[in-house]
Amino acid sequence: MIKQQDCIALDEQDPLAGEAGKYYLPEGMLYFVGNSLGALPLAAAQRVASIIRDEWGEELVSGWNKAGWYSSPTRVGDKVARLIGADAGEVTVTDSTSVNLFKSIIAATGLNPQRRVCLTDRKIFPTDLYIMQGIEELLGDRFTLKAVQRNRIADAIDDDLALLVLSHVDYRSGDIFDMQDITHRVHEAGGLVLWDLCHSAGIFDVRLNEVDADFAVGCGYKFLNGGPGAPSFVFVAKRHQKQINQPLTGWMGHADPFAFNESYESAPGIRKMLCGTPSVIAMGCFEAALDQLLPVSIAAIREKSTKLTRLFIDLMKERCAGFGFTLISSENDAIRGSQISYTHENGYAIMQALIARNVIGDFRAPDCVRFGVAPLYTSYMDIWQAVGTLKTIMETEAWQEFQAQNMADVT
Ligand SMILES: *Cc1c(COP(=O)(O)O)cnc(C)c1O
């Protein structure tokens, strides 16, 4: 049996224990949604205040040069590159993940016009699917979407494949695809791969260039703590940058925006993935979050993430068995992301009862309760307390009072 004292001891020995104080969380809140919206880095609050007052306020339009606003998409991109195993000049920060998916998928499939199949996991995060459906509508018979079950992906890689789009970590279960193996198989078949790193960046030691990845995207607001709606990142391997064309040919992706030429000519490098003017305040917030994260060892983060999710699973077995929860995350530490998910027929009401007691997880329809762990600010004792609260809710059936409630807009 795991005891409270064991969790206290794990916190005392935690090499990342010093990080939590650099993030703001409301008093008494146990926060398990860092995989959806990361907590506020204290340094980001200061940076944003300074950008507004000292840069926008004092420098006004000269901020584009003097404060480095113009170069921010590639400067911040180079910082993200260090977290995902890419080189400088291969990543830029701009737009949302959805928009970057649109640009990258069209750019990637354009590299191999003889092939038209775009393969994906049919249970991939819906925005990825919707964007591919929209592209199919737009490109007609030049693009055929093939969405298959997760366990059929490997079999579906064949000589027709132009592009495989996969989320490295599944948003529902947290299961991980083997990036190296899959990328290799697709290359053998003559295709390309786009990795969605939304649930990986900042948690895994992702090594895009080591696995020879082609394209990648990911958001800034989950484990990277860049703030609600933070700009997202897009990676294009150096070897593809010259040949690709992306469809949103705005002036910021032009070779010389301030020449004000009448015809579009794309920038030579990663800047060609840009479209319009960067969102400077949001970018500054994200950059401050990255500056705080970059000195921390990703290996230590991944190790703690695995131990936290392991503890969650083990405590649930000991304390919440028999309450009808079915674990859908992998028991295998090596293929489990930084979250634990269970299905339960009363999942929504149970989660509302937890939230009412300041244990914040989330719910994914139809019946999945999720608990993300963020090693920078989640402690072992947080998990001890969360599982204890859940046990009380189940024993007392306190969730019943939430059963008739309508779902909120954001679950
Ligand atoms: C969170 C998430 C997104 C979010 O896309 P936005 O454009 O930022 O809303 C996309 N894909 C995956 C896999 C995600 O987990």
Side-chain angles (χ1 to χ4, degrees), residues 35-36 95-101 124-128 166-171 196-199 217-222 229-230 232 370:
N35 56 332
S36 180
D95 300 326
S96 65
T97 304
S98 302
V99 173
N100 281 327
L101 281 163
I124 195 170
F125 190 81
T127 203
D128 300 51
L166 282 185
S167 182
H168 178 219
V169 179
D170 180 60
Y171 77 102
D196 185 328
L197 303 178
C198 277
H199 285 277
V217 297
C219 43
Y221 53 79
K222 291 175 180 163
S232 103
R370 295 194 309 180

Side-chain angles (χ1 to χ4, degrees), residues 27-49:
E27 190 66 38
M29 178 185 284
L30 299 182
Y31 191 67
F32 293 98
V33 201
N35 56 332
S36 180
L37 177 64
L40 167 66
L42 297 175
Q46 282 178 359
R47 184 84 62 94
V48 167

Side-chain angles (χ1 to χ4, degrees), residues 94-159:
T94 179
D95 300 326
S96 65
T97 304
S98 302
V99 173
N100 281 327
L101 281 163
F102 179 78
K103 293 183 294 187
S104 318
I105 292 169
I106 293 185
T109 49
L111 286 174
N112 203 344
Q114 295 82 16
R115 297 183 178 198
R116 53 200 55 177
V117 174
C118 182
L119 177 68
T120 194
D121 168 6
R122 62 195 274 191
K123 291 286 172 72
I124 195 170
F125 190 81
T127 203
D128 300 51
L129 213 49
Y130 303 158
I131 291 288
M132 286 181 260
Q133 289 165 0
I135 294 174
E136 192 172 36
E137 188 101 334
L138 189 72
L139 298 186
D141 59 11
R142 284 185 291 144
F143 185 97
T144 305
L145 175 60
K146 192 166 153 190
V148 305
Q149 266 178 1
R150 205 180 158 75
N151 56 6
R152 309 307 285 269
I153 294 282
D155 291 339
I157 297 170
D158 61 22
D159 294 348

Side-chain angles (χ1 to χ4, degrees), residues 76-88:
V76 181
D78 287 348
K79 293 183 181 182
V80 173
R82 290 161 53 191
L83 290 169
I84 57 177
D87 292 332

Side-chain angles (χ1 to χ4, degrees), residues 67-390:
W69 299 344
Y70 179 73
S71 54
S72 65
T74 45
R75 180 182 71 244
V76 181
D78 287 348
K79 293 183 181 182
V80 173
R82 290 161 53 191
L83 290 169
I84 57 177
D87 292 332
E90 289 187 309
V91 179
T92 190
V93 172
T94 179
D95 300 326
S96 65
T97 304
S98 302
V99 173
N100 281 327
L101 281 163
F102 179 78
K103 293 183 294 187
S104 318
I105 292 169
I106 293 185
T109 49
L111 286 174
N112 203 344
Q114 295 82 16
R115 297 183 178 198
R116 53 200 55 177
V117 174
C118 182
L119 177 68
T120 194
D121 168 6
R122 62 195 274 191
K123 291 286 172 72
I124 195 170
F125 190 81
T127 203
D128 300 51
L129 213 49
Y130 303 158
I131 291 288
M132 286 181 260
Q133 289 165 0
I135 294 174
E136 192 172 36
E137 188 101 334
L138 189 72
L139 298 186
D141 59 11
R142 284 185 291 144
F143 185 97
T144 305
L145 175 60
K146 192 166 153 190
V148 305
Q149 266 178 1
R150 205 180 158 75
N151 56 6
R152 309 307 285 269
I153 294 282
D155 291 339
I157 297 170
D158 61 22
D159 294 348
D160 293 330
L161 183 66
L163 180 69
L164 172 62
V165 177
L166 282 185
S167 182
H168 178 219
V169 179
D170 180 60
Y171 77 102
R172 220 181 281 260
S173 67
D175 284 1
I176 300 164
F177 277 116
D178 184 334
M179 195 178 266
Q180 176 140 36
D181 177 57
I182 290 176
T183 305
H184 180 71
R185 283 172 192 242
V186 173
H187 286 173
E188 291 273 281
L192 300 172
V193 188
L194 185 157
W195 288 104
D196 185 328
L197 303 178
C198 277
H199 285 277
S200 323
I203 284 289
F204 289 94
D205 189 6
V206 176
R207 300 187 180 187
L208 289 176
N209 282 334
E210 202 171 295
V211 306
D212 220 14
D214 302 293
F215 293 82
V217 297
C219 43
Y221 53 79
K222 291 175 180 163
F223 291 115
L224 297 181
N225 308 305
S232 103
F233 62 86
V234 52
F235 159 87
V236 182
K238 271 256 158 64
R239 64 183 178 282
H240 296 312
Q241 288 182 2
K242 211 173 148 89
Q243 296 90 323
I244 55 160
N245 293 305
Q246 66 94 350
L248 299 183
T249 49
W251 73 314
M252 284 292 147
H254 193 282
D256 190 0
F258 287 89
F260 295 102
N261 285 336
E262 280 161 31
S263 52
Y264 183 78
E265 184 200 331
S266 69
I270 192 67
R271 279 195 75 95
K272 71 160 67 165
M273 294 306 285
L274 300 181
C275 180
T277 304
S279 181
V280 170
I281 298 167
M283 187 75 91
C285 189
F286 186 19
E287 187 172 19
L290 288 168
D291 288 343
Q292 186 166 306
L293 170 62
L294 277 166
V296 184
S297 150
I298 286 282
I301 291 176
R302 173 62 182 152
E303 191 190 336
K304 183 176 173 192
S305 160
T306 309
K307 285 167 76 174
L308 288 166
T309 52
R310 179 85 256 155
L311 176 67
F312 204 112
I313 293 173
D314 291 344
L315 280 172
M316 283 292 285
K317 279 186 196 160
E318 290 184 5
R319 310 186 72 192
C320 288
F323 291 134
F325 291 98
T326 306
L327 179 68
I328 61 165
S329 302
S330 178
E331 286 258 19
N332 179 348
D333 289 354
I335 59 167
R336 191 172 63 245
S338 203
Q339 68 182 64
I340 291 298
S341 306
Y342 293 88
T343 55
H344 193 291
E345 57 178 338
N346 301 308
Y348 187 72
I350 293 167
M351 186 51 75
Q352 294 314 300
L354 276 169
I355 292 170
R357 286 158 182 78
N358 232 355
V359 178
I360 318 294
D362 69 6
F363 176 77
R364 287 294 174 262
D367 58 359
C368 172
V369 289
R370 295 194 309 180
F371 301 89
V373 301
L376 294 170
Y377 51 83
T378 305
S379 70
Y380 296 94
M381 266 308 287
D382 288 350
I383 288 171
W384 171 266
Q385 285 179 283
V387 175
T389 305
L390 184 54

